[in-house]
Amino acid sequence: MSAWKEYEFPEEDSRLFQKVFTSEQMVLDFYNTFRKISLQAAAYKASKVPIESTLAETLAKGWKGMVQTVTDGDEQVLAAFLSVDNNREQWNAGERHLVMAAEDYLADVLKHHDDRK
């Protein structure tokens, strides 16, 4: 978590994040949820948990819930998070590797469970 204090956010994104996260506890809650879901996705991928499984469906719901909670449907906030994601070279290596291990599986799970609607 301390590595994120070093991250250079664009001024507009920084203002948006200050509105989204009104306390340090909110930042920690988001970070912990993000890490938990990423760790689960990486573990499910390594364990070859089928994307059609109940575990994967719960993972998709968790991700969607996290995104909804933190963005409240605001496209500007979503764009600010995507900007952070697109600048992974600023992330510490551990965070970068975790997301890289998780993202393909998570994307497949989200697509599968969105297509089922």
Side-chain angles (χ1 to χ4, degrees):
M1 182 68 197
S2 62
W4 290 105
K5 292 179 181 179
E6 310 282 324
Y7 188 90
E8 294 182 28
F9 295 99
E11 191 174 324
E12 179 60 28
D13 291 354
S14 183
R15 277 196 297 274
L16 282 171
F17 290 137
Q18 287 173 13
K19 289 178 184 177
V20 169
F21 301 115
T22 57
S23 70
E24 188 171 330
Q25 187 60 51
M26 289 179 74
V27 173
L28 290 172
D29 290 346
F30 167 76
Y31 177 75
N32 289 332
T33 300
F34 175 81
R35 292 253 323 153
K36 176 185 166 193
I37 292 169
S38 297
L39 286 165
Q40 286 175 320
Y44 293 175
K45 177 182 177 182
S47 300
K48 299 185 181 356
V49 173
I51 63 172
E52 306 84 9
S53 71
T54 304
L55 284 172
E57 182 177 14
T58 301
L59 184 75
K61 287 178 182 176
W63 181 267
K64 291 175 193 175
M66 177 193 68
V67 170
Q68 178 58 38
T69 297
V70 79
T71 66
D72 198 27
D74 186 326
E75 291 295 322
Q76 283 186 302
V77 174
L78 181 59
F81 277 102
L82 290 173
S83 175
V84 172
D85 187 52
N86 289 328
N87 286 296
R88 290 184 190 173
E89 68 278 356
Q90 288 192 59
W91 298 20
N92 74 38
E95 300 289 338
R96 194 170 44 249
H97 292 304
L98 172 59
V99 170
M100 289 170 60
E103 69 184 336
D104 290 341
Y105 180 83
L106 185 57
D108 289 345
V109 165
L110 290 167
K111 182 177 180 344
H112 174 78
H113 291 282
D114 277 347
D115 288 348
R116 291 182 57 205
K117 288 183 179 179

Short mmCIF file of all heavy atoms in Angstrom, two decimals, residues 2 9 27 93:
data_model
loop_
_atom_site.label_atom_id
_atom_site.label_comp_id
_atom_site.label_asym_id
_atom_site.label_seq_id
_atom_site.Cartn_x
_atom_site.Cartn_y
_atom_site.Cartn_z
N SER A 2 1.98 1.21 0.69
CA SER A 2 2.83 2.40 0.78
C SER A 2 3.35 2.85 -0.58
O SER A 2 3.59 4.04 -0.79
CB SER A 2 4.00 2.16 1.73
OG SER A 2 4.81 1.11 1.25
N PHE A 9 -0.32 10.81 -9.58
CA PHE A 9 -1.62 10.93 -10.21
C PHE A 9 -1.73 12.26 -10.94
O PHE A 9 -1.29 13.29 -10.41
CB PHE A 9 -2.74 10.88 -9.16
CG PHE A 9 -2.85 9.58 -8.43
CD1 PHE A 9 -2.29 9.41 -7.18
CD2 PHE A 9 -3.53 8.52 -9.01
CE1 PHE A 9 -2.41 8.21 -6.51
CE2 PHE A 9 -3.65 7.31 -8.34
CZ PHE A 9 -3.08 7.15 -7.10
N VAL A 27 -9.81 4.11 1.41
CA VAL A 27 -8.73 3.71 0.50
C VAL A 27 -8.28 2.30 0.83
O VAL A 27 -8.14 1.46 -0.07
CB VAL A 27 -7.54 4.69 0.58
CG1 VAL A 27 -6.36 4.19 -0.24
CG2 VAL A 27 -7.93 6.08 0.15
N ALA A 93 6.58 -3.75 -8.53
CA ALA A 93 6.62 -5.01 -9.30
C ALA A 93 5.61 -6.03 -8.79
O ALA A 93 4.97 -6.73 -9.57
CB ALA A 93 8.03 -5.58 -9.28
#
